[in-house]
Amino acid sequence: MSKTPKDRAATSEKFINLKVTNPPKNSVGFGALKSAVTQVSKYMKPSDALKISTKINQKGGFDCPGCAWPDPDDERSALGEYCENGMKAMAEEAQKNTIGASFFAKHSVDELSEWSDFEIGKSGRLAEPMYLPKGATHYQPISWKDAFNKVATHLNALNTPDEAVFYTSGRTTNEAAFLYQLFVREYGTANLPDCSNMCHEASGKALSETLGIGKGSVTLNDLYKAEVVMVVGQNPGTNHPRMLTALEKCKNNGGKIITINPLKEVGLMKFTNPQSPLKMLSGGTALTDVFVPVTINGDVAFFKAILLKLLEKEETTGNVFDKAFINEYTSGYDAFIKDLKQYSFDDCLKASGVSKATFNAVFDIILNNNKIIICWAMGLTQHENAVDNIRELVNLLLLKGSIGKEGAGTCPVRGHSNVQGDRTVGIWEAAPQAFLDKIEAKYGFKPTTKHGYSVIDAIEGMYKKEAKVFFGLGGNFISAVPDTNYSAQALANCNLTVHVSTKLNRSHLVTGKEALILPCLGRAEKDYQKSGIQTQSVENSMGVVSSTKGILEPCSDKIISEVAVVCGIANATLKNRSKIDWLAYKDDYALVRNDIEEVVDGFKDYNTKLKQPSGFYLPNGARVRQFKTKTGKANFSINKLPEWKLKQDELVMMTIRSHDQFNTTIYGLNDRYRGVFNERRIIFMNKDDMKSRGLEEQQVVQLQSTFNGVVRKANNFKVVGYDIPKYCCATYFPEANVLVPLDNFAHTAKTPASKSIVITVHAN
Ligand SMILES: Nc1nc2c(c(=O)[nH]1)N[C@H]1C(S)=C(S)[C@@H](COP(=O)(O)OP(=O)(O)OC[C@H]3O[C@@H](n4cnc5c(=O)[nH]c(N)nc54)[C@H](O)[C@@H]3O)O[C@H]1N2
Ligand SMILES: Nc1nc2c(c(=O)[nH]1)N[C@H]1C(S)=C(S)[C@@H](COP(=O)(O)OP(=O)(O)OC[C@H]3O[C@@H](n4cnc5c(=O)[nH]c(N)nc54)[C@H](O)[C@@H]3O)O[C@H]1N2
Ligand SMILES: [Mo]
């Protein structure tokens, strides 16, 4: 009997060998060097490792496939823009082992699904296209031509193009992403869900509405010049390590850092720059000035408390708000103030879980400074009221006139290395009409104006059998999405699932009736085409577009580039009905950039500008106080205080990343900065909450979430007592995704609320 989709999707429940210590007091430094070197030496060829470490994030080198943190415009460290987790990302991508026909002949899909995610990831790089026929137990090799034709046959057999889903993960370069969305639109649908739907979608929504651009407004230079940087719901020590260098520069220039987070993340407390040998010896720089241990989802309450006190001061002294800015550039001030006055300071502070003394320390800093930057990530975007979270912090910046001037503004810190670029070039299920009009003008076909599926809609669509083909350009859909069991059935309902991937992952094992794995080149590999080795481009979190060019030989001669995959499938599917010469693009990616220049704003002279060593900035209205909103001004917004009514035995759970993972890719089994080793199935709990439930350290528990009457369960988690506010707890993603309800998501943005899941904890 073969396994059910749910069984194949399940993460391994076996325990490893949990060891817990006190979290370290300092981040990066020698520990980070050691950890990166261990990983690199274990999984990469030594010659590759050397090449990589000198070229990563260098001008004219290749863009790290890790996070989207920008590279400095001017000086870049001689040691390389070095980062522990960047090197781990490289060690993972440039693994020396490869897998192909003999590996898949040996291991059935059922067997592979029993491996842990760590084991699956370490099996090696995918080296040739593989096909799982209907009813088969093992993947078998297939030629590229046959693979393209299989996809084409399935797509052309659908009743309507809207029965196909085209997912993207944010590593795809601008060139591949542009062609992909162009193919999908010419084929006839807008079903373009992407990882952004689970990530910064709420930031995009909130910022577009209030400031007229769905991206942040600051540059790296602003961060250095800020008087205050607030880091809210973000763990840069693990997820954006190079941000710590920027924060250190800000501190050295006299800036203050306020950290708002239920966890005292070590990276933000003290940092030893790996590029400063002297600092390594002397113990590093203290980063955070005030740490605010807010309760999970207590952010709107905390920001409202600040806004209320600022208003009170403004009413007595008249010199707190930037009235000139408010008068000239904003809209909605009166309604916002009227609404704010309905709230009581004490209620807000209480709801935030923050002490009066900590509040006062923060308030003092905000009151006395006017160059404020607010940085944030998933701690704000993965809640039901995520859009409110972000709009509320914009309200604070607007009152202080802290936008569109040096050292001030918004800084949503993006996740995947090109997630921002993908959206810029058209990976969007709800693309603006102006963009669609340009596509029509350029290519002569009319793209559908109907909005397509986001991630959550796509899962519903497949579950209801309204979508029948799933195509993923990168990513690991089943492990990244909420509600693992339900989503596994959704994928299994498809006629065909296809993944363009560098590495084996669980999504290759939770298949439709037939399945394809299409292996592609990674960022670090040379992309040989007719016109020579290709350069591609990516956009970082601060809107800088720069080039990336591989330096290693491809791990196999049977893998091809993402651009070549997209062109091959488009050509096979659309044949003569296409208005586009698909195969020409793959010979010379400069042709793709010429098209992007015509269709997407801000890319004038793309090919020429890409040759500039640091790349070029895309236009950004908010940065220069041109707010392209409906009112033509920056808009104040009205945001409700969320009401949390937990039952006595309930906790709010956030699902977070350990130090040794990149999303669903598990680099290792440790979470060094939190003092957890050799285990991922753990739940961090407040010690009082453990006591009131009679739970011991390392006790094995079952977790249950209940939402809209549906109970979801996850077995075998070990309790770890931790410094976390009461009634709050944390687990790692993807292990806890079975507990994340599909129907619990951010209003208007549809980001799964994976940071605020109500659970109960039960002794096993
Ligand atoms: N090495 C590495 N780098 C990565 C990734 C990775 O997995 N590994 N992932 C990439 C991607 S795609 C992304 S999106 C980013 C993710 O980067 P982060 O957003 O930093 O990642 P998370 O682990 O989800 O951490 C969220 C933080 O928010 C806090 N938090 C949770 N709930 C709340 C809340 O209600 N309020 C506040 N104030 N804080 C809260 C948590 O304690 C945690 O510190 O990193 C990118 N970079
Ligand atoms: N519970 C919970 N769920 C979450 C989150 C959370 O915080 N909590 N975070 C969410 C967030 S922020 C995000 S962004 C998503 C991430 O969702 P995804 O982007 O779908 O997941 P990843 O784990 O980044 O995808 C890893 C896979 O991408 C493939 N890959 C790597 N590099 C390349 C490449 O260059 N090209 C191609 N074609 N493939 C490549 C590899 O095969 C690898 O297995 O997960 C979301 N899910
Ligand atoms: Mo993300």
Side-chain angles (χ1 to χ4, degrees), residues 571-631:
N571 183 56
T573 307
L574 301 173
K575 291 207 174 81
N576 297 337
R577 58 179 212 274
S578 179
K579 297 195 180 298
I580 296 164
D581 178 4
W582 284 101
L583 298 183
Y585 290 119
K586 106 180 158 49
D587 295 339
D588 183 2
Y589 300 0
L591 300 177
V592 189
R593 288 188 287 274
N594 286 340
D595 282 22
I596 295 177
E597 179 173 338
E598 278 184 62
V599 174
V600 188
D601 292 338
F603 284 87
K604 195 164 178 301
D605 300 326
Y606 195 177
N607 277 305
T608 315
K609 281 204 247 165
L610 204 57
K611 296 199 176 94
Q612 295 167 12
S614 305
F616 61 96
Y617 279 90
L618 289 174
N620 186 309
R623 197 171 279 162
V624 289
R625 296 191 169 176
Q626 285 171 5
F627 301 108
K628 294 179 182 155
T629 59
K630 281 193 189 135
T631 59

Side-chain angles (χ1 to χ4, degrees), residues 66-68 85-86 195 199-200 231-236 238-241 260-263 265 292 294-299 376-380 382-383 389 413-416 654-659 661-664 667 674 733 755:
C67 75
N85 277 349
C195 70
C199 188
H200 266 294
V231 183
V232 195
Q234 198 205 339
N235 178 21
T238 287
N239 299 312
H240 305 90
I260 305 181
N261 198 313
L263 300 181
E265 304 284 22
V292 183
V294 73
T295 54
I296 293 175
N297 202 227
D299 302 275
W376 71 92
M378 298 304 99
L380 287 193
Q382 296 177 332
H383 297 280
N389 270 338
V413 184
R414 300 279 165 177
H416 271 298
M654 52 184 179
T655 53
I656 55 176
R657 292 155 171 80
S658 82
H659 191 63
Q661 72 185 87
F662 193 96
N663 299 338
T664 69
Y667 300 143
R674 300 194 185 105
F733 121 77
K755 295 283 190 276

Side-chain angles (χ1 to χ4, degrees), residues 453-509:
Y453 287 141
S454 68
V455 164
I456 286 180
D457 303 326
I459 295 166
E460 291 289 11
M462 293 186 285
Y463 192 87
K464 292 186 194 143
K465 303 188 180 174
E466 287 162 8
K468 296 173 181 158
V469 172
F470 175 90
F471 189 100
L473 187 60
N476 181 4
F477 193 79
I478 190 57
S479 298
V481 299
D483 232 338
T484 316
N485 296 343
Y486 186 91
S487 300
Q489 189 55 52
L491 284 169
N493 287 348
C494 289
N495 294 335
L496 176 73
T497 47
V498 186
H499 290 92
V500 182
S501 315
T502 49
K503 303 259 313 295
L504 187 67
N505 65 43
R506 200 164 284 284
S507 296
H508 305 133
L509 312 174

